[in-house]
mmCIF file with all atom_site columns, all heavy atoms in Angstrom:
data_model
loop_
_atom_site.group_PDB
_atom_site.id
_atom_site.type_symbol
_atom_site.label_atom_id
_atom_site.label_alt_id
_atom_site.label_comp_id
_atom_site.label_asym_id
_atom_site.label_entity_id
_atom_site.label_seq_id
_atom_site.pdbx_PDB_ins_code
_atom_site.Cartn_x
_atom_site.Cartn_y
_atom_site.Cartn_z
_atom_site.occupancy
_atom_site.B_iso_or_equiv
_atom_site.pdbx_formal_charge
_atom_site.auth_seq_id
_atom_site.auth_comp_id
_atom_site.auth_asym_id
_atom_site.auth_atom_id
_atom_site.pdbx_PDB_model_num
ATOM 1   N N   . GLU E 1 42  ? 4.613   -12.951 -0.939  1.00 0.00 ? 42  GLU E N   1
ATOM 2   C CA  . GLU E 1 42  ? 3.139   -12.975 -0.907  1.00 0.00 ? 42  GLU E CA  1
ATOM 3   C C   . GLU E 1 42  ? 2.572   -11.914 0.025   1.00 0.00 ? 42  GLU E C   1
ATOM 4   O O   . GLU E 1 42  ? 1.384   -11.583 -0.068  1.00 0.00 ? 42  GLU E O   1
ATOM 5   C CB  . GLU E 1 42  ? 2.671   -14.359 -0.536  1.00 0.00 ? 42  GLU E CB  1
ATOM 6   C CG  . GLU E 1 42  ? 2.985   -15.419 -1.537  1.00 0.00 ? 42  GLU E CG  1
ATOM 7   C CD  . GLU E 1 42  ? 2.560   -16.821 -1.160  1.00 0.00 ? 42  GLU E CD  1
ATOM 8   O OE1 . GLU E 1 42  ? 1.836   -16.946 -0.136  1.00 0.00 ? 42  GLU E OE1 1
ATOM 9   O OE2 . GLU E 1 42  ? 2.948   -17.766 -1.846  1.00 0.00 ? 42  GLU E OE2 1
ATOM 10  N N   . LYS E 1 46  ? 0.553   -3.202  -2.231  1.00 0.00 ? 46  LYS E N   1
ATOM 11  C CA  . LYS E 1 46  ? 0.787   -1.946  -2.923  1.00 0.00 ? 46  LYS E CA  1
ATOM 12  C C   . LYS E 1 46  ? -0.408  -1.031  -2.741  1.00 0.00 ? 46  LYS E C   1
ATOM 13  O O   . LYS E 1 46  ? -1.535  -1.446  -2.471  1.00 0.00 ? 46  LYS E O   1
ATOM 14  C CB  . LYS E 1 46  ? 1.044   -2.174  -4.433  1.00 0.00 ? 46  LYS E CB  1
ATOM 15  C CG  . LYS E 1 46  ? -0.050  -2.900  -5.153  1.00 0.00 ? 46  LYS E CG  1
ATOM 16  C CD  . LYS E 1 46  ? 0.383   -3.335  -6.549  1.00 0.00 ? 46  LYS E CD  1
ATOM 17  C CE  . LYS E 1 46  ? -0.694  -4.235  -7.191  1.00 0.00 ? 46  LYS E CE  1
ATOM 18  N NZ  . LYS E 1 46  ? -0.203  -4.817  -8.432  1.00 0.00 ? 46  LYS E NZ  1
ATOM 19  N N   . LEU E 1 61  ? -3.899  -3.287  -2.000  1.00 0.00 ? 61  LEU E N   1
ATOM 20  C CA  . LEU E 1 61  ? -4.108  -4.645  -2.433  1.00 0.00 ? 61  LEU E CA  1
ATOM 21  C C   . LEU E 1 61  ? -2.803  -5.410  -2.434  1.00 0.00 ? 61  LEU E C   1
ATOM 22  O O   . LEU E 1 61  ? -1.718  -4.821  -2.366  1.00 0.00 ? 61  LEU E O   1
ATOM 23  C CB  . LEU E 1 61  ? -4.768  -4.707  -3.810  1.00 0.00 ? 61  LEU E CB  1
ATOM 24  C CG  . LEU E 1 61  ? -4.050  -4.082  -5.006  1.00 0.00 ? 61  LEU E CG  1
ATOM 25  C CD1 . LEU E 1 61  ? -4.593  -4.664  -6.311  1.00 0.00 ? 61  LEU E CD1 1
ATOM 26  C CD2 . LEU E 1 61  ? -4.219  -2.572  -5.050  1.00 0.00 ? 61  LEU E CD2 1
ATOM 27  N N   . ARG E 1 62  ? -2.925  -6.740  -2.520  1.00 0.00 ? 62  ARG E N   1
ATOM 28  C CA  . ARG E 1 62  ? -1.721  -7.568  -2.549  1.00 0.00 ? 62  ARG E CA  1
ATOM 29  C C   . ARG E 1 62  ? -0.900  -7.234  -3.829  1.00 0.00 ? 62  ARG E C   1
ATOM 30  O O   . ARG E 1 62  ? -1.455  -6.939  -4.864  1.00 0.00 ? 62  ARG E O   1
ATOM 31  C CB  . ARG E 1 62  ? -2.083  -9.028  -2.594  1.00 0.00 ? 62  ARG E CB  1
ATOM 32  C CG  . ARG E 1 62  ? -2.851  -9.515  -1.362  1.00 0.00 ? 62  ARG E CG  1
ATOM 33  C CD  . ARG E 1 62  ? -3.152  -10.986 -1.359  1.00 0.00 ? 62  ARG E CD  1
ATOM 34  N NE  . ARG E 1 62  ? -3.825  -11.402 -2.631  1.00 0.00 ? 62  ARG E NE  1
ATOM 35  C CZ  . ARG E 1 62  ? -4.261  -12.599 -2.877  1.00 0.00 ? 62  ARG E CZ  1
ATOM 36  N NH1 . ARG E 1 62  ? -4.150  -13.539 -1.944  1.00 0.00 ? 62  ARG E NH1 1
ATOM 37  N NH2 . ARG E 1 62  ? -4.823  -12.897 -3.994  1.00 0.00 ? 62  ARG E NH2 1
ATOM 38  N N   . GLY E 1 63  ? 0.405   -7.297  -3.679  1.00 0.00 ? 63  GLY E N   1
ATOM 39  C CA  . GLY E 1 63  ? 1.268   -6.941  -4.760  1.00 0.00 ? 63  GLY E CA  1
ATOM 40  C C   . GLY E 1 63  ? 1.110   -7.818  -6.002  1.00 0.00 ? 63  GLY E C   1
ATOM 41  O O   . GLY E 1 63  ? 1.345   -7.331  -7.122  1.00 0.00 ? 63  GLY E O   1
ATOM 42  N N   . ALA E 1 64  ? 0.747   -9.028  -5.822  1.00 0.00 ? 64  ALA E N   1
ATOM 43  C CA  . ALA E 1 64  ? 0.571   -9.950  -6.966  1.00 0.00 ? 64  ALA E CA  1
ATOM 44  C C   . ALA E 1 64  ? -0.783  -9.782  -7.658  1.00 0.00 ? 64  ALA E C   1
ATOM 45  O O   . ALA E 1 64  ? -1.014  -10.419 -8.654  1.00 0.00 ? 64  ALA E O   1
ATOM 46  C CB  . ALA E 1 64  ? 0.738   -11.416 -6.469  1.00 0.00 ? 64  ALA E CB  1
ATOM 47  N N   . ASP E 1 65  ? -1.646  -8.956  -7.120  1.00 0.00 ? 65  ASP E N   1
ATOM 48  C CA  . ASP E 1 65  ? -2.984  -8.757  -7.684  1.00 0.00 ? 65  ASP E CA  1
ATOM 49  C C   . ASP E 1 65  ? -3.022  -7.487  -8.519  1.00 0.00 ? 65  ASP E C   1
ATOM 50  O O   . ASP E 1 65  ? -2.145  -6.640  -8.434  1.00 0.00 ? 65  ASP E O   1
ATOM 51  C CB  . ASP E 1 65  ? -4.050  -8.653  -6.595  1.00 0.00 ? 65  ASP E CB  1
ATOM 52  C CG  . ASP E 1 65  ? -4.218  -9.952  -5.838  1.00 0.00 ? 65  ASP E CG  1
ATOM 53  O OD1 . ASP E 1 65  ? -3.749  -11.024 -6.306  1.00 0.00 ? 65  ASP E OD1 1
ATOM 54  O OD2 . ASP E 1 65  ? -4.863  -9.943  -4.752  1.00 0.00 ? 65  ASP E OD2 1
ATOM 55  N N   . GLN E 1 66  ? -4.074  -7.351  -9.309  1.00 0.00 ? 66  GLN E N   1
ATOM 56  C CA  . GLN E 1 66  ? -4.313  -6.117  -10.048 1.00 0.00 ? 66  GLN E CA  1
ATOM 57  C C   . GLN E 1 66  ? -5.744  -5.649  -9.804  1.00 0.00 ? 66  GLN E C   1
ATOM 58  O O   . GLN E 1 66  ? -6.589  -6.415  -9.309  1.00 0.00 ? 66  GLN E O   1
ATOM 59  C CB  . GLN E 1 66  ? -4.064  -6.293  -11.545 1.00 0.00 ? 66  GLN E CB  1
ATOM 60  C CG  . GLN E 1 66  ? -4.968  -7.328  -12.197 1.00 0.00 ? 66  GLN E CG  1
ATOM 61  C CD  . GLN E 1 66  ? -4.559  -7.595  -13.665 1.00 0.00 ? 66  GLN E CD  1
ATOM 62  O OE1 . GLN E 1 66  ? -3.540  -7.140  -14.113 1.00 0.00 ? 66  GLN E OE1 1
ATOM 63  N NE2 . GLN E 1 66  ? -5.379  -8.348  -14.338 1.00 0.00 ? 66  GLN E NE2 1
ATOM 64  N N   . ILE E 1 67  ? -6.009  -4.413  -10.083 1.00 0.00 ? 67  ILE E N   1
ATOM 65  C CA  . ILE E 1 67  ? -7.373  -3.853  -9.871  1.00 0.00 ? 67  ILE E CA  1
ATOM 66  C C   . ILE E 1 67  ? -8.243  -4.456  -10.986 1.00 0.00 ? 67  ILE E C   1
ATOM 67  O O   . ILE E 1 67  ? -7.881  -4.453  -12.175 1.00 0.00 ? 67  ILE E O   1
ATOM 68  C CB  . ILE E 1 67  ? -7.344  -2.347  -10.009 1.00 0.00 ? 67  ILE E CB  1
ATOM 69  C CG1 . ILE E 1 67  ? -6.436  -1.727  -8.955  1.00 0.00 ? 67  ILE E CG1 1
ATOM 70  C CG2 . ILE E 1 67  ? -8.789  -1.804  -9.905  1.00 0.00 ? 67  ILE E CG2 1
ATOM 71  C CD1 . ILE E 1 67  ? -6.188  -0.264  -9.135  1.00 0.00 ? 67  ILE E CD1 1
ATOM 72  N N   . ASP E 1 68  ? -9.389  -4.955  -10.533 1.00 0.00 ? 68  ASP E N   1
ATOM 73  C CA  . ASP E 1 68  ? -10.424 -5.400  -11.518 1.00 0.00 ? 68  ASP E CA  1
ATOM 74  C C   . ASP E 1 68  ? -11.413 -4.220  -11.574 1.00 0.00 ? 68  ASP E C   1
ATOM 75  O O   . ASP E 1 68  ? -12.221 -4.026  -10.708 1.00 0.00 ? 68  ASP E O   1
ATOM 76  C CB  . ASP E 1 68  ? -11.121 -6.673  -11.007 1.00 0.00 ? 68  ASP E CB  1
ATOM 77  C CG  . ASP E 1 68  ? -12.181 -7.180  -11.921 1.00 0.00 ? 68  ASP E CG  1
ATOM 78  O OD1 . ASP E 1 68  ? -12.827 -6.378  -12.625 1.00 0.00 ? 68  ASP E OD1 1
ATOM 79  O OD2 . ASP E 1 68  ? -12.387 -8.425  -11.957 1.00 0.00 ? 68  ASP E OD2 1
ATOM 80  N N   . PHE E 1 69  ? -11.309 -3.427  -12.657 1.00 0.00 ? 69  PHE E N   1
ATOM 81  C CA  . PHE E 1 69  ? -12.072 -2.197  -12.710 1.00 0.00 ? 69  PHE E CA  1
ATOM 82  C C   . PHE E 1 69  ? -13.591 -2.467  -12.854 1.00 0.00 ? 69  PHE E C   1
ATOM 83  O O   . PHE E 1 69  ? -14.376 -1.659  -12.476 1.00 0.00 ? 69  PHE E O   1
ATOM 84  C CB  . PHE E 1 69  ? -11.600 -1.302  -13.853 1.00 0.00 ? 69  PHE E CB  1
ATOM 85  C CG  . PHE E 1 69  ? -10.338 -0.513  -13.423 1.00 0.00 ? 69  PHE E CG  1
ATOM 86  C CD1 . PHE E 1 69  ? -9.096  -0.973  -13.712 1.00 0.00 ? 69  PHE E CD1 1
ATOM 87  C CD2 . PHE E 1 69  ? -10.488 0.667   -12.721 1.00 0.00 ? 69  PHE E CD2 1
ATOM 88  C CE1 . PHE E 1 69  ? -7.978  -0.264  -13.311 1.00 0.00 ? 69  PHE E CE1 1
ATOM 89  C CE2 . PHE E 1 69  ? -9.377  1.383   -12.288 1.00 0.00 ? 69  PHE E CE2 1
ATOM 90  C CZ  . PHE E 1 69  ? -8.101  0.921   -12.590 1.00 0.00 ? 69  PHE E CZ  1
ATOM 91  N N   . LYS E 1 71  ? -15.154 -4.929  -11.118 1.00 0.00 ? 71  LYS E N   1
ATOM 92  C CA  . LYS E 1 71  ? -15.542 -5.084  -9.711  1.00 0.00 ? 71  LYS E CA  1
ATOM 93  C C   . LYS E 1 71  ? -15.530 -3.733  -8.978  1.00 0.00 ? 71  LYS E C   1
ATOM 94  O O   . LYS E 1 71  ? -16.453 -3.428  -8.235  1.00 0.00 ? 71  LYS E O   1
ATOM 95  C CB  . LYS E 1 71  ? -14.582 -6.010  -8.974  1.00 0.00 ? 71  LYS E CB  1
ATOM 96  C CG  . LYS E 1 71  ? -14.729 -7.464  -9.250  1.00 0.00 ? 71  LYS E CG  1
ATOM 97  C CD  . LYS E 1 71  ? -13.721 -8.202  -8.390  1.00 0.00 ? 71  LYS E CD  1
ATOM 98  C CE  . LYS E 1 71  ? -13.753 -9.728  -8.585  1.00 0.00 ? 71  LYS E CE  1
ATOM 99  N NZ  . LYS E 1 71  ? -12.748 -10.369 -7.714  1.00 0.00 ? 71  LYS E NZ  1
ATOM 100 N N   . ASP E 1 110 ? -8.552  -4.239  -0.307  1.00 0.00 ? 110 ASP E N   1
ATOM 101 C CA  . ASP E 1 110 ? -9.117  -5.448  -0.925  1.00 0.00 ? 110 ASP E CA  1
ATOM 102 C C   . ASP E 1 110 ? -9.188  -6.557  0.141   1.00 0.00 ? 110 ASP E C   1
ATOM 103 O O   . ASP E 1 110 ? -8.263  -6.731  0.958   1.00 0.00 ? 110 ASP E O   1
ATOM 104 C CB  . ASP E 1 110 ? -8.231  -5.942  -2.071  1.00 0.00 ? 110 ASP E CB  1
ATOM 105 C CG  . ASP E 1 110 ? -8.877  -7.130  -2.744  1.00 0.00 ? 110 ASP E CG  1
ATOM 106 O OD1 . ASP E 1 110 ? -9.914  -6.982  -3.444  1.00 0.00 ? 110 ASP E OD1 1
ATOM 107 O OD2 . ASP E 1 110 ? -8.363  -8.274  -2.575  1.00 0.00 ? 110 ASP E OD2 1
ATOM 108 N N   . LYS E 1 111 ? -10.306 -7.280  0.153   1.00 0.00 ? 111 LYS E N   1
ATOM 109 C CA  . LYS E 1 111 ? -10.543 -8.267  1.177   1.00 0.00 ? 111 LYS E CA  1
ATOM 110 C C   . LYS E 1 111 ? -9.450  -9.337  1.271   1.00 0.00 ? 111 LYS E C   1
ATOM 111 O O   . LYS E 1 111 ? -9.227  -9.883  2.374   1.00 0.00 ? 111 LYS E O   1
ATOM 112 C CB  . LYS E 1 111 ? -11.892 -8.941  0.972   1.00 0.00 ? 111 LYS E CB  1
ATOM 113 C CG  . LYS E 1 111 ? -12.002 -9.793  -0.239  1.00 0.00 ? 111 LYS E CG  1
ATOM 114 C CD  . LYS E 1 111 ? -13.386 -10.471 -0.403  1.00 0.00 ? 111 LYS E CD  1
ATOM 115 C CE  . LYS E 1 111 ? -13.384 -11.490 -1.503  1.00 0.00 ? 111 LYS E CE  1
ATOM 116 N NZ  . LYS E 1 111 ? -14.652 -12.220 -1.536  1.00 0.00 ? 111 LYS E NZ  1
ATOM 117 N N   . ARG E 1 112 ? -8.740  -9.638  0.227   1.00 0.00 ? 112 ARG E N   1
ATOM 118 C CA  . ARG E 1 112 ? -7.692  -10.665 0.254   1.00 0.00 ? 112 ARG E CA  1
ATOM 119 C C   . ARG E 1 112 ? -6.481  -10.253 1.101   1.00 0.00 ? 112 ARG E C   1
ATOM 120 O O   . ARG E 1 112 ? -5.781  -11.057 1.631   1.00 0.00 ? 112 ARG E O   1
ATOM 121 C CB  . ARG E 1 112 ? -7.247  -10.989 -1.173  1.00 0.00 ? 112 ARG E CB  1
ATOM 122 C CG  . ARG E 1 112 ? -8.292  -11.689 -1.995  1.00 0.00 ? 112 ARG E CG  1
ATOM 123 C CD  . ARG E 1 112 ? -8.007  -11.513 -3.499  1.00 0.00 ? 112 ARG E CD  1
ATOM 124 N NE  . ARG E 1 112 ? -9.144  -11.850 -4.299  1.00 0.00 ? 112 ARG E NE  1
ATOM 125 C CZ  . ARG E 1 112 ? -10.212 -11.075 -4.527  1.00 0.00 ? 112 ARG E CZ  1
ATOM 126 N NH1 . ARG E 1 112 ? -10.239 -9.871  -4.005  1.00 0.00 ? 112 ARG E NH1 1
ATOM 127 N NH2 . ARG E 1 112 ? -11.194 -11.437 -5.273  1.00 0.00 ? 112 ARG E NH2 1
ATOM 128 N N   . VAL E 1 113 ? -6.273  -8.912  1.239   1.00 0.00 ? 113 VAL E N   1
ATOM 129 C CA  . VAL E 1 113 ? -5.148  -8.434  2.068   1.00 0.00 ? 113 VAL E CA  1
ATOM 130 C C   . VAL E 1 113 ? -5.324  -8.911  3.506   1.00 0.00 ? 113 VAL E C   1
ATOM 131 O O   . VAL E 1 113 ? -4.319  -9.263  4.148   1.00 0.00 ? 113 VAL E O   1
ATOM 132 C CB  . VAL E 1 113 ? -5.144  -6.877  2.000   1.00 0.00 ? 113 VAL E CB  1
ATOM 133 C CG1 . VAL E 1 113 ? -4.217  -6.311  3.073   1.00 0.00 ? 113 VAL E CG1 1
ATOM 134 C CG2 . VAL E 1 113 ? -4.713  -6.423  0.617   1.00 0.00 ? 113 VAL E CG2 1
ATOM 135 N N   . ASP E 1 115 ? -6.377  -11.598 4.663   1.00 0.00 ? 115 ASP E N   1
ATOM 136 C CA  . ASP E 1 115 ? -6.063  -12.989 4.847   1.00 0.00 ? 115 ASP E CA  1
ATOM 137 C C   . ASP E 1 115 ? -4.595  -13.221 5.088   1.00 0.00 ? 115 ASP E C   1
ATOM 138 O O   . ASP E 1 115 ? -4.201  -14.311 5.482   1.00 0.00 ? 115 ASP E O   1
ATOM 139 C CB  . ASP E 1 115 ? -6.472  -13.791 3.576   1.00 0.00 ? 115 ASP E CB  1
ATOM 140 C CG  . ASP E 1 115 ? -7.982  -13.835 3.374   1.00 0.00 ? 115 ASP E CG  1
ATOM 141 O OD1 . ASP E 1 115 ? -8.701  -13.700 4.362   1.00 0.00 ? 115 ASP E OD1 1
ATOM 142 O OD2 . ASP E 1 115 ? -8.391  -14.025 2.185   1.00 0.00 ? 115 ASP E OD2 1
ATOM 143 N N   . LEU E 1 116 ? -3.773  -12.220 4.854   1.00 0.00 ? 116 LEU E N   1
ATOM 144 C CA  . LEU E 1 116 ? -2.346  -12.341 5.034   1.00 0.00 ? 116 LEU E CA  1
ATOM 145 C C   . LEU E 1 116 ? -1.991  -12.257 6.526   1.00 0.00 ? 116 LEU E C   1
ATOM 146 O O   . LEU E 1 116 ? -2.640  -11.521 7.268   1.00 0.00 ? 116 LEU E O   1
ATOM 147 C CB  . LEU E 1 116 ? -1.608  -11.241 4.283   1.00 0.00 ? 116 LEU E CB  1
ATOM 148 C CG  . LEU E 1 116 ? -1.805  -11.252 2.757   1.00 0.00 ? 116 LEU E CG  1
ATOM 149 C CD1 . LEU E 1 116 ? -1.174  -9.979  2.148   1.00 0.00 ? 116 LEU E CD1 1
ATOM 150 C CD2 . LEU E 1 116 ? -1.191  -12.497 2.108   1.00 0.00 ? 116 LEU E CD2 1
ATOM 151 N N   . ASP E 1 147 ? -14.191 -5.957  -2.381  1.00 0.00 ? 147 ASP E N   1
ATOM 152 C CA  . ASP E 1 147 ? -13.662 -6.999  -3.278  1.00 0.00 ? 147 ASP E CA  1
ATOM 153 C C   . ASP E 1 147 ? -13.419 -6.280  -4.633  1.00 0.00 ? 147 ASP E C   1
ATOM 154 O O   . ASP E 1 147 ? -14.368 -6.120  -5.390  1.00 0.00 ? 147 ASP E O   1
ATOM 155 C CB  . ASP E 1 147 ? -14.632 -8.167  -3.433  1.00 0.00 ? 147 ASP E CB  1
ATOM 156 C CG  . ASP E 1 147 ? -14.147 -9.247  -4.383  1.00 0.00 ? 147 ASP E CG  1
ATOM 157 O OD1 . ASP E 1 147 ? -12.998 -9.195  -4.830  1.00 0.00 ? 147 ASP E OD1 1
ATOM 158 O OD2 . ASP E 1 147 ? -14.935 -10.145 -4.658  1.00 0.00 ? 147 ASP E OD2 1
ATOM 159 N N   . PHE E 1 148 ? -12.189 -5.880  -4.909  1.00 0.00 ? 148 PHE E N   1
ATOM 160 C CA  . PHE E 1 148 ? -11.934 -5.138  -6.139  1.00 0.00 ? 148 PHE E CA  1
ATOM 161 C C   . PHE E 1 148 ? -10.683 -5.630  -6.898  1.00 0.00 ? 148 PHE E C   1
ATOM 162 O O   . PHE E 1 148 ? -10.310 -5.030  -7.921  1.00 0.00 ? 148 PHE E O   1
ATOM 163 C CB  . PHE E 1 148 ? -11.826 -3.648  -5.899  1.00 0.00 ? 148 PHE E CB  1
ATOM 164 C CG  . PHE E 1 148 ? -10.709 -3.249  -4.948  1.00 0.00 ? 148 PHE E CG  1
ATOM 165 C CD1 . PHE E 1 148 ? -9.394  -3.147  -5.402  1.00 0.00 ? 148 PHE E CD1 1
ATOM 166 C CD2 . PHE E 1 148 ? -10.984 -3.010  -3.612  1.00 0.00 ? 148 PHE E CD2 1
ATOM 167 C CE1 . PHE E 1 148 ? -8.377  -2.813  -4.522  1.00 0.00 ? 148 PHE E CE1 1
ATOM 168 C CE2 . PHE E 1 148 ? -9.972  -2.618  -2.724  1.00 0.00 ? 148 PHE E CE2 1
ATOM 169 C CZ  . PHE E 1 148 ? -8.656  -2.548  -3.183  1.00 0.00 ? 148 PHE E CZ  1
ATOM 170 N N   . ALA E 1 149 ? -10.078 -6.678  -6.412  1.00 0.00 ? 149 ALA E N   1
ATOM 171 C CA  . ALA E 1 149 ? -8.847  -7.150  -7.061  1.00 0.00 ? 149 ALA E CA  1
ATOM 172 C C   . ALA E 1 149 ? -9.037  -8.439  -7.814  1.00 0.00 ? 149 ALA E C   1
ATOM 173 O O   . ALA E 1 149 ? -9.954  -9.200  -7.529  1.00 0.00 ? 149 ALA E O   1
ATOM 174 C CB  . ALA E 1 149 ? -7.729  -7.314  -6.019  1.00 0.00 ? 149 ALA E CB  1
ATOM 175 N N   . ALA E 1 150 ? -8.175  -8.637  -8.782  1.00 0.00 ? 150 ALA E N   1
ATOM 176 C CA  . ALA E 1 150 ? -8.112  -9.902  -9.516  1.00 0.00 ? 150 ALA E CA  1
ATOM 177 C C   . ALA E 1 150 ? -6.693  -10.386 -9.451  1.00 0.00 ? 150 ALA E C   1
ATOM 178 O O   . ALA E 1 150 ? -5.727  -9.649  -9.543  1.00 0.00 ? 150 ALA E O   1
ATOM 179 C CB  . ALA E 1 150 ? -8.542  -9.690  -11.011 1.00 0.00 ? 150 ALA E CB  1
ATOM 180 N N   . GLU E 1 151 ? -6.565  -11.697 -9.307  1.00 0.00 ? 151 GLU E N   1
ATOM 181 C CA  . GLU E 1 151 ? -5.216  -12.288 -9.262  1.00 0.00 ? 151 GLU E CA  1
ATOM 182 C C   . GLU E 1 151 ? -4.633  -12.231 -10.666 1.00 0.00 ? 151 GLU E C   1
ATOM 183 O O   . GLU E 1 151 ? -5.308  -12.516 -11.651 1.00 0.00 ? 151 GLU E O   1
ATOM 184 C CB  . GLU E 1 151 ? -5.259  -13.722 -8.767  1.00 0.00 ? 151 GLU E CB  1
ATOM 185 C CG  . GLU E 1 151 ? -5.656  -13.783 -7.308  1.00 0.00 ? 151 GLU E CG  1
ATOM 186 C CD  . GLU E 1 151 ? -5.605  -15.208 -6.755  1.00 0.00 ? 151 GLU E CD  1
ATOM 187 O OE1 . GLU E 1 151 ? -4.778  -16.020 -7.253  1.00 0.00 ? 151 GLU E OE1 1
ATOM 188 O OE2 . GLU E 1 151 ? -6.398  -15.514 -5.873  1.00 0.00 ? 151 GLU E OE2 1
ATOM 189 N N   . ILE E 1 152 ? -3.384  -11.890 -10.773 1.00 0.00 ? 152 ILE E N   1
ATOM 190 C CA  . ILE E 1 152 ? -2.688  -11.865 -12.049 1.00 0.00 ? 152 ILE E CA  1
ATOM 191 C C   . ILE E 1 152 ? -2.333  -13.318 -12.403 1.00 0.00 ? 152 ILE E C   1
ATOM 192 O O   . ILE E 1 152 ? -1.768  -14.061 -11.613 1.00 0.00 ? 152 ILE E O   1
ATOM 193 C CB  . ILE E 1 152 ? -1.431  -11.011 -12.000 1.00 0.00 ? 152 ILE E CB  1
ATOM 194 C CG1 . ILE E 1 152 ? -1.805  -9.533  -11.661 1.00 0.00 ? 152 ILE E CG1 1
ATOM 195 C CG2 . ILE E 1 152 ? -0.651  -11.089 -13.322 1.00 0.00 ? 152 ILE E CG2 1
ATOM 196 C CD1 . ILE E 1 152 ? -0.612  -8.645  -11.398 1.00 0.00 ? 152 ILE E CD1 1
ATOM 197 N N   . GLN E 1 153 ? -2.741  -13.720 -13.577 1.00 0.00 ? 153 GLN E N   1
ATOM 198 C CA  . GLN E 1 153 ? -2.488  -15.104 -14.016 1.00 0.00 ? 153 GLN E CA  1
ATOM 199 C C   . GLN E 1 153 ? -1.089  -15.245 -14.557 1.00 0.00 ? 153 GLN E C   1
ATOM 200 O O   . GLN E 1 153 ? -0.513  -14.448 -15.166 1.00 0.00 ? 153 GLN E O   1
ATOM 201 C CB  . GLN E 1 153 ? -3.482  -15.476 -15.133 1.00 0.00 ? 153 GLN E CB  1
ATOM 202 C CG  . GLN E 1 153 ? -4.912  -15.335 -14.679 1.00 0.00 ? 153 GLN E CG  1
ATOM 203 C CD  . GLN E 1 153 ? -5.241  -16.274 -13.500 1.00 0.00 ? 153 GLN E CD  1
ATOM 204 O OE1 . GLN E 1 153 ? -4.773  -17.414 -13.375 1.00 0.00 ? 153 GLN E OE1 1
ATOM 205 N NE2 . GLN E 1 153 ? -6.050  -15.790 -12.595 1.00 0.00 ? 153 GLN E NE2 1
#
Side-chain angles (χ1 to χ4, degrees):
E42 292 177 10
K46 58 190 173 189
L61 62 160
R62 298 182 309 183
D65 294 346
Q66 61 187 8
I67 299 168
D68 181 329
F69 281 95
K71 285 183 180 179
D110 183 72
K111 67 179 189 174
R112 293 159 195 81
V113 167
D115 292 336
L116 299 172
D147 180 8
F148 60 80
E151 292 184 31
I152 298 173
Q153 301 299 324

